[in-house]
Amino acid sequence: MRLYAQTRARRSRQVLADLTAVLLIAVAVWFALAVRDTVMLLAEPGKKVEDAGGSLASGLDDAGDAASRVPLIGGVLKKPLRSAADAGSGLSDAGQSMQDLVGRVANLTAFALILFSVAFVLVLWLPPRVRWIRRSARIRELLDTPGGADLMALRALTGPLKDLATVPVPPGGLADAWRRGDEKAIGDLCRTALSRAGLRA
């Protein structure tokens, strides 16, 4: 199985198309990760809320512990401070939840961008490459069968006239030479058909 053409012009176009596809995929991945980083900036307020809630809860816990040591009314003082500390912990949890949500949205957005971009590039690039690889394999198989060169010569005769411009025309014309089984004319025509497909004999 041949992946690239043997003729320079066709091979150069194939290599250029492959490099362009790889570059487009790399740019798509870079862009998706940049979008993810931008979306993750929305998690900063959540981080601040988490930090503030954690600090508040810790401070109120300490205050409650200190208040509990006050004689006679320590238990009464400790209870509202402990409730306020629990509220601070809830605030901290809310900040963490906000960060988790933003992270999930950022990851999902990046994944979707990468998936759609790569799929778009592959749909445009892959089918022509696969078609050429299969066609070149079929042509090679045809050449290995008896009469394959004659069929390739016929293909050149029925193809675009500009492809025949470089083929030497024997007396009586190319079609007549093909019908007579002229080996030189058939070889020239076969090489022309192969060259059009990006192959060499």
Side-chain angles (χ1 to χ4, degrees), residues 6 11 53 57 66 127-128 146 166 178 184 187 191:
Q6 292 173 296
R11 184 172 59 244
T166 59
W178 175 80
K184 184 177 184 318
R191 281 189 291 275

Side-chain angles (χ1 to χ4, degrees), residues 76-93:
V76 175
L77 292 174
K78 180 180 178 180
K79 191 172 181 182
L81 290 172
R82 182 70 67 192
S83 296
D86 291 342
S89 295
L91 188 63
S92 178
D93 292 343

Side-chain angles (χ1 to χ4, degrees), residues 12-144:
S12 297
R13 288 196 300 270
Q14 289 174 337
V15 169
L16 181 62
D18 291 355
L19 291 176
T20 301
V22 170
L23 180 63
L24 288 175
I25 289 172
V27 169
V29 170
W30 172 82
F31 177 73
L33 294 178
V35 169
R36 180 190 178 280
D37 291 343
T38 301
V39 173
M40 284 302 294
L41 293 176
L42 298 175
E44 284 301 315
K47 179 156 179 48
K48 290 178 180 176
V49 168
E50 180 188 9
D51 292 344
S55 297
L56 179 63
S58 177
L60 289 172
D61 268 340
D62 292 345
D65 290 341
S68 67
R69 291 191 289 272
V70 175
L72 300 176
I73 59 168
V76 175
L77 292 174
K78 180 180 178 180
K79 191 172 181 182
L81 290 172
R82 182 70 67 192
S83 296
D86 291 342
S89 295
L91 188 63
S92 178
D93 292 343
Q96 181 60 55
S97 297
M98 180 180 177
Q99 291 177 76
D100 293 342
L101 177 62
V102 170
R104 284 195 295 273
V105 169
N107 290 333
L108 185 61
T109 302
F111 176 76
L113 285 172
I114 290 172
L115 180 66
F116 288 125
S117 302
V118 170
F120 179 73
V121 171
L122 290 180
V123 163
L124 291 179
W125 165 77
L126 197 56
R129 291 292 287 125
V130 171
R131 274 198 304 271
W132 184 89
I133 291 168
R134 287 180 176 170
R135 187 168 63 243
S136 67
R138 284 196 303 267
I139 289 172
R140 283 297 176 195
E141 288 173 9
L142 176 64
L143 279 177
D144 291 339

